[in-house]
Amino acid sequence: MNKKWLVADKVEQKIVNNFPEIHPVILQLLWSRGLTNQKSIDEFLLPDYSQDVHDPYLFRDMHKAVDRIVKALEKQEKILIYGDYDADGVSSTVLLVDSLQKIGFQNINVYLPDREKEGYGLNSQAIQEIAKDKPDLMITCDCGISNKDEIKLAVNLGIEVIVTDHHCQPPELPRKALAIINPKVEKEKYPFKDLAGVGVAFKLIQALLKDDRIKLENKESIEKWLLDLVALGTVADCMPLLGENRTLVKYGLVVLNKSQRVGLRELIRVAGLDKNLAFGDELKKIEFSLDTYNIAFQLGPRINSAGRMEHALMAYELLISQDKEKAQELAQNLEKTNKERQKFAEKIWQESQKQVGQIEQEQKAIFASGKYDDGWLIGLVGLIAGRLCEYYYLPTIVMSESENEIVGSGRSIEELDIMEILNQSQKFLARFGGHKMACGFALKNKSDLEKFKKHIHKLIKQKLADKKLTPLFFIDAQINLNDITWELNDNLKKFEPFGEDNLKPKFLTKNLTIINLEKVGKDEKHLRLMLSDEQGNIKKFMGFFLTSDWSNKIKIGDKLDVVYELSVNQWNGSQELQQKIIDLKLSDENL
């Protein structure tokens, strides 16, 4: 689908005057990210763990939580960690268990729900089962804020509860919980609101390690070696990489690339990110060069595949494992599971596209559904909804029908709050949850499926009646070819780590003349262009997988407007700047 290019507003002259020492293009990029004063610029360009990570005791309930955990330690009480089945939840669970064991707890159990059978968060059947083992304290991670009834049940069964979560506050808080550690609670004073679930769990452990009653000599070491898990969960959960998250992930990547977790290192190996993985005496000598891309598109999906296809305990056991042989076996199993996830997802994608067919002009939403027994797994419908929503730029609902119920997942566009739609559709729903851009639900009655779809589509059509749906493509800055230098490339490295709300900068240059055009690559799927501006500056541009769309539309002498990222091409021991094409148009086309 064609996108509307949206170039960031040009930096104000007073900002240019205030920071004459900053490269003009870099200043434009800072401006487009809302960074306009010395403090915010310094925090962004030079994250400092000692300065930019907030005091965990700024959480209003942190003292209560720490006091209760210290009491549990003194009495060696039973603790149950209740996590979630995604990469953030698994990372959170591993972080809590690993830390509490190091602090001195000897009796810790873990509960991760089955995505297919139990769904997200706490459930009463699980609480009943947990209570049989008579834990004294339950700590939730990446869940719990919306489970007031289940937490009340746990308390009535003799289990005290500490909630660590990062999801939005529901209409009614779980007030029976002893403590709630969640930056999104409305009355919470903690200054950074966008921590991942693993980030909140980390703040709890950080607070514990600050307490004088915890008698350990290596507290600082324990804290910082947890940052690999913080980076893993934060990036995999698509949390914004600004503010405190940026600092935690930047330092977390340093730890990840030196990680001493045998299971995590083996996961890195099976993902093909290191061919010479070492264990034992060599463990500390081998470092990686992983970045946020590797987490988001290689490690995260493999961890998530456990909860989508089998059970999240597979991923948990891998990340907690310190046994080489067991870790290798678990990593291979997870790799196999991930490949199965890819196969099933592709099958559903193809079938869903057939169902969608031709989009009608009056159509404002997309629906697709299939039977669970035919491979439409509950753990995959959200992925497919996301792909369909992005492909067609329409709100999308994908559903899986089992013998007992229909469960669905929705994804939305900027112009529509999908949760507002579900709130107006509660008569059809047995349960639902989510946020503006994504939701999950289950129907009360399978027989209401068609009525539900008509009702949803009617509401969406009303909301989008006067809106032209065109996806926006954000461009950081319009620059000239002579702006592209090694100095600029070096300055851009300060913007790493890239991720949500801090994407790799995209640049626009207009009216570039094609002076050479080649099809390259094994199957000639890629285009290599040499482009010149009116001043005679010439730069090389690579368009990956653009041959089929553009090779017959452009020729030497044509003028192009090009959106691109700066990159470095390395070959035969040498380096050269090379621009990676993200989008392009013939120069006479309207933006």
Side-chain angles (χ1 to χ4, degrees):
M1 174 175 286
N2 291 329
K3 298 181 176 71
K4 180 180 179 181
W5 291 1
L6 183 65
V7 182
D9 293 336
K10 193 171 182 179
V11 58
E12 292 181 357
Q13 187 59 45
K14 67 177 181 179
I15 302 296
V16 176
N17 296 338
N18 288 341
F19 299 97
E21 74 281 5
I22 298 180
H23 190 291
V25 176
I26 297 301
L27 196 57
Q28 174 65 47
L29 299 179
L30 294 169
W31 164 263
S32 68
R33 285 159 173 74
L35 305 169
T36 59
N37 59 58
Q38 192 69 57
K39 183 178 184 299
S40 64
I41 289 173
D42 287 346
E43 183 179 337
F44 182 84
L45 294 179
L46 303 166
D48 186 335
Y49 190 85
S50 65
Q51 299 291 324
D52 302 328
V53 175
H54 302 300
D55 182 351
Y57 284 102
L58 293 174
F59 280 101
R60 60 179 185 167
D61 279 359
M62 189 61 82
H63 282 285
K64 286 196 291 184
V66 169
D67 287 344
R68 181 64 186 88
I69 294 172
V70 170
K71 175 186 172 183
L73 177 63
E74 291 170 347
K75 295 185 176 182
Q76 278 300 324
E77 294 178 334
K78 286 184 178 180
I79 288 189
L80 187 285
I81 308 298
Y82 195 115
D84 187 26
Y85 42 65
D86 69 357
D88 187 17
V90 171
S91 300
S92 307
T93 305
V94 173
L95 184 146
L96 287 178
V97 173
D98 180 36
S99 306
L100 293 174
Q101 286 176 340
K102 285 183 170 68
I103 286 170
F105 281 93
Q106 299 172 11
N107 200 339
I108 306 174
N109 288 322
V110 166
Y111 192 93
L112 299 176
D114 185 301
R115 185 174 198 144
E116 303 284 332
K117 298 176 182 177
E118 298 173 85
Y120 169 74
L122 283 65
N123 65 85
S124 56
Q125 187 174 345
I127 299 301
Q128 295 278 7
E129 192 64 31
I130 288 167
K132 293 177 182 178
D133 194 46
K134 298 183 178 179
D136 301 288
L137 176 65
M138 178 168 69
I139 304 174
T140 74
C141 48
D142 197 29
C143 63
I145 196 67
S146 299
N147 296 117
K148 65 180 181 64
D149 293 335
E150 292 79 8
I151 289 173
K152 181 179 180 181
L153 173 61
V155 172
N156 290 341
L157 292 171
I159 308 170
E160 290 192 274
V161 181
I162 295 171
V163 172
T164 77
D165 199 352
H166 72 129
H167 293 95
C168 293
Q169 178 174 325
E172 189 174 347
L173 288 169
R175 302 198 182 278
K176 288 291 184 178
L178 173 75
I180 298 174
I181 313 297
N182 184 339
K184 286 200 173 77
V185 169
E186 291 170 6
K187 295 183 179 180
E188 183 56 70
K189 302 298 184 184
Y190 193 77
F192 185 71
K193 304 301 181 184
D194 290 320
L195 290 169
V198 70
V200 180
F202 174 74
K203 302 309 290 189
L204 176 62
I205 297 303
Q206 192 182 39
L208 265 172
L209 292 171
K210 287 178 177 289
D211 194 287
D212 291 338
R213 292 169 291 179
I214 303 297
K215 306 296 184 183
L216 293 171
E217 294 182 356
N218 59 339
K219 289 183 178 183
E220 184 178 353
S221 175
I222 290 174
E223 176 182 323
K224 290 187 176 178
W225 279 106
L226 295 173
L227 291 172
D228 55 353
L229 295 171
V230 178
L232 186 64
T234 300
V235 175
D237 213 42
C238 299
M239 300 307 295
L241 293 193
L242 298 172
E244 188 173 16
N245 278 347
R246 178 171 170 78
T247 303
L248 291 172
V249 170
K250 187 176 182 69
Y251 283 85
L253 286 171
V254 175
V255 177
L256 180 64
N257 283 302
K258 299 178 180 179
S259 182
Q260 297 181 35
R261 300 179 194 280
V262 174
L264 183 52
R265 294 174 75 86
E266 188 60 27
L267 177 64
I268 292 167
R269 189 188 70 78
V270 299
L273 301 176
D274 186 272
K275 303 299 183 184
N276 300 300
L277 195 66
F279 290 94
D281 294 338
E282 295 296 311
L283 190 62
K284 297 180 182 178
K285 298 179 183 179
I286 302 297
E287 297 184 13
F288 311 117
S289 56
L290 306 177
D291 57 19
T292 50
Y293 177 90
N294 301 128
I295 295 175
F297 296 101
Q298 293 164 309
L299 299 181
R302 284 170 168 81
I303 295 171
N304 279 323
S305 70
R308 295 185 190 281
M309 302 295 295
E310 298 286 343
H311 198 287
L313 281 171
M314 179 192 297
Y316 166 79
E317 289 171 358
L318 171 64
L319 294 185
I320 203 74
S321 176
Q322 288 294 324
D323 179 84
K324 174 184 174 182
E325 291 186 3
K326 182 180 180 182
Q328 288 178 330
E329 180 182 353
L330 288 167
Q332 291 295 338
N333 289 342
L334 197 60
E335 182 70 5
K336 179 181 177 182
T337 300
N338 187 53
K339 289 179 179 177
E340 290 176 355
R341 188 268 306 171
Q342 293 171 325
K343 182 179 70 174
F344 274 95
E346 184 59 28
K347 174 180 181 291
I348 301 174
W349 168 249
Q350 297 294 339
E351 292 177 2
S352 63
Q353 281 197 300
K354 289 180 181 179
Q355 288 186 34
V356 172
Q358 183 69 34
I359 301 295
E360 302 297 332
Q361 187 172 356
E362 69 277 6
Q363 189 172 342
K364 298 296 182 181
I366 291 172
F367 298 90
S369 61
K371 294 188 180 297
Y372 179 87
D373 290 342
D374 292 336
W376 286 64
L377 305 181
I378 296 170
L380 297 179
V381 293
L383 287 177
I384 303 306
R387 287 180 66 180
L388 288 169
C389 181
E390 181 179 4
Y391 188 82
Y392 294 102
Y393 202 70
L394 287 172
T396 302
I397 287 177
V398 180
M399 292 167 282
S400 170
E401 180 179 352
S402 65
E403 183 179 348
N404 299 318
E405 65 177 353
I406 293 176
V407 175
S409 188
R411 297 294 183 270
S412 194
I413 57 178
E414 287 292 338
E415 294 85 350
L416 181 82
D417 184 339
I418 194 70
M419 275 300 292
E420 183 181 345
I421 299 298
L422 288 193
N423 277 319
Q424 297 177 48
S425 309
Q426 293 187 41
K427 64 182 180 180
F428 293 104
L429 304 174
R431 59 185 185 275
F432 70 100
H435 52 80
K436 179 181 177 180
M437 302 295 287
C439 67
F441 62 88
L443 295 187
K444 284 182 182 177
N445 301 302
K446 291 175 62 177
S447 59
D448 285 339
L449 176 59
E450 292 305 317
K451 291 181 182 177
F452 169 72
K453 288 163 61 175
K454 288 180 180 178
H455 174 80
I456 291 286
H457 197 204
K458 180 180 178 181
L459 293 177
I460 292 175
K461 286 177 74 173
Q462 291 172 352
K463 290 288 183 182
L464 300 179
D466 301 323
K467 297 179 180 178
K468 185 178 181 180
L469 304 181
T470 304
L472 297 177
F473 186 74
F474 182 80
I475 300 167
D476 291 90
Q478 182 172 335
I479 65 174
N480 301 314
L481 288 189
N482 58 7
D483 291 319
I484 302 172
T485 63
W486 282 104
E487 180 189 2
L488 176 60
N489 184 71
D490 292 341
N491 275 298
L492 288 178
K493 291 179 181 178
K494 296 178 182 178
F495 281 69
E496 299 174 354
F498 298 119
E500 198 75 13
D501 286 359
N502 182 40
L503 300 175
K504 192 169 184 179
K506 295 175 177 58
F507 301 104
L508 167 65
T509 304
K510 294 184 175 181
N511 296 313
L512 295 176
T513 303
I514 302 174
I515 61 173
N516 194 32
L517 182 156
E518 294 178 90
K519 298 177 184 178
V520 296
K522 182 180 178 181
D523 299 315
E524 295 189 334
K525 293 181 178 180
H526 317 306
L527 287 180
R528 182 162 60 206
L529 305 176
M530 298 300 292
L531 302 180
S532 172
D533 63 14
E534 294 176 356
Q535 289 73 43
N537 298 298
I538 300 172
K539 297 290 182 181
K540 181 187 293 184
F541 288 75
M542 278 297 300
F544 294 100
F545 302 103
L546 288 184
T547 297
S548 60
D549 290 334
W550 283 96
S551 63
N552 295 323
K553 296 180 183 178
I554 56 177
K555 62 184 182 302
I556 292 174
D558 284 347
K559 288 186 175 293
L560 299 175
D561 297 343
V562 185
V563 180
Y564 54 93
E565 296 174 353
L566 265 64
S567 63
V568 177
N569 182 34
Q570 301 187 37
W571 56 283
N572 292 335
S574 63
Q575 293 182 328
E576 65 173 353
L577 288 176
Q578 174 180 272
Q579 286 54 250
K580 177 184 174 184
I581 297 173
I582 305 300
D583 202 3
L584 73 163
K585 296 179 180 179
L586 291 170
S587 291
D588 59 353
E589 291 183 3
N590 293 322
L591 290 180

